[in-house]
Amino acid sequence: MQETKPTRLIVGITGATGTIFGVRLLQMLHGSGVETHLVMSKWAARTLTHETPYTLKEVQALATHSYGLGDQGAAISSGSFITLGMVIAPCSMRTLAAIAHGLGDNLIHRAADVVLKERRRLVLVVRESPFNEIHLENMLKLSRMGVVILPPLPAFYNQPQNLDDMINHIAMRIIDQFDIHLDVMNRWDGMLLSERQNRTEEE
Ligand SMILES: Cc1cc2nc3c(=O)[nH]c(=O)nc-3n(C[C@H](O)[C@H](O)[C@H](O)COP(=O)(O)O)c2cc1C
């Protein structure tokens, strides 16, 4: 019998500000050999339109498979569908609360619940500021269960030149959590470098 190595990652995008983080993850993983299984909430679709130039269809096309929010019969609703785990980027406080309390009333909550019961990796790119005690308690509860709470905070030691640099660095750190170490910084640095060169030539 052949051993099957999971290279599937579930990607949830919810209605917190910072939809670009979910989009950038999909862009980076596209063509990497990692299968992405995408579910977006209703409010994720709304913030996507509000905050980015991308359409819902364009984002869904970046994923290997895309599911409807109410599709509880989807493959990712079952633990027998082997995955590396799930990332929710960005993760709203509503979705955080639903996961912390085991609600399974949409496919994002259900897939996260399955990842927890199967003891797979769950990474929540939580976004709210400031946090209230409910948010903090929910995060602590999940962190104690091994969930990675990863707010999308920028670093400055890598001397980001623009917002894209910051987004790419955060997206790369999220992907690192799944032991997927893509050569993304080089790739994106290359693009950014050429963009900078073009800009210099234009000036
Ligand atoms: C433009 C916009 C930005 C929002 N930003 C946040 C946020 O940063 N964090 C958050 O928890 N909710 C935020 N919300 C509210 C959520 O969208 C709302 O609570 C929603 O019910 C979340 O549902 P979901 O988790 O199913 O996507 C925002 C809503 C809008 C319209």
Side-chain angles (χ1 to χ4, degrees), residues 4 9 13 23 30 36 50 56-58 89 97-98 115 156 164 168 177 179 185-186:
T4 50
L9 184 64
I13 304 181
V23 175
H30 192 73
T36 49
H50 188 69
L56 185 59
K57 277 205 171 130
E58 283 169 340
V115 165
F156 294 90
D164 243 8
N168 293 336
Q177 289 296 321
D179 287 332
M185 274 323 263
N186 286 345

Side-chain angles (χ1 to χ4, degrees), residues 13-17 41-44 46-47 50-51 91-95 106 109 127-128:
I13 304 181
T14 65
T17 188
S41 75
K42 187 180 92 178
W43 282 98
R46 174 74 181 271
T47 47
H50 188 69
E51 297 181 345
C91 180
S92 74
M93 294 302 102
R94 177 200 181 228
T95 292
N106 75 33
H109 308 163
R127 213 319 308 187
E128 189 47 278

Side-chain angles (χ1 to χ4, degrees), residues 176-194:
D176 280 346
Q177 289 296 321
F178 294 92
D179 287 332
I180 302 167
H181 305 294
L182 301 175
D183 196 15
V184 281
M185 274 323 263
N186 286 345
R187 267 201 279 142
W188 283 92
D189 268 0
M191 282 187 68
L192 290 165
L193 197 66
S194 63

Side-chain angles (χ1 to χ4, degrees), residues 13-120:
I13 304 181
T14 65
T17 188
T19 327
I20 190 63
F21 292 110
V23 175
R24 189 54 47 86
L25 285 180
L26 291 170
Q27 288 172 329
M28 285 180 167
L29 290 167
H30 192 73
S32 69
V34 177
E35 270 183 36
T36 49
H37 294 256
L38 173 69
V39 205
M40 291 177 70
S41 75
K42 187 180 92 178
W43 282 98
R46 174 74 181 271
T47 47
L48 176 80
T49 315
H50 188 69
E51 297 181 345
T52 78
Y54 303 104
T55 65
L56 185 59
K57 277 205 171 130
E58 283 169 340
V59 174
Q60 287 171 337
L62 288 169
T64 316
H65 296 277
S66 174
Y67 306 92
L69 189 63
D71 186 4
Q72 306 291 60
I76 57 172
S77 210
S78 167
S80 65
F81 186 74
I82 308 297
T83 66
L84 294 169
M86 178 173 189
V87 55
I88 305 183
C91 180
S92 74
M93 294 302 102
R94 177 200 181 228
T95 292
L96 170 77
I99 296 167
H101 292 84
L103 310 183
D105 60 349
N106 75 33
L107 186 57
I108 296 178
H109 308 163
R110 169 63 188 165
D113 201 55
V114 167
V115 165
L116 285 177
K117 84 180 171 72
E118 298 294 336
R119 306 294 197 265
R120 294 177 190 146

Side-chain angles (χ1 to χ4, degrees), residues 2 20 22 28 34 77 82 88 100 105 108 122 126 129 149 157-158 165 172-173 181 195 199:
Q2 248 191 333
I20 190 63
M28 285 180 167
V34 177
S77 210
I82 308 297
I88 305 183
D105 60 349
I108 296 178
L122 180 61
V126 291
S129 184
I149 304 294
Y157 56 79
N158 56 332
D165 283 2
M172 184 196 71
R173 300 288 289 126
H181 305 294
E195 276 171 19
R199 230 180 290 146

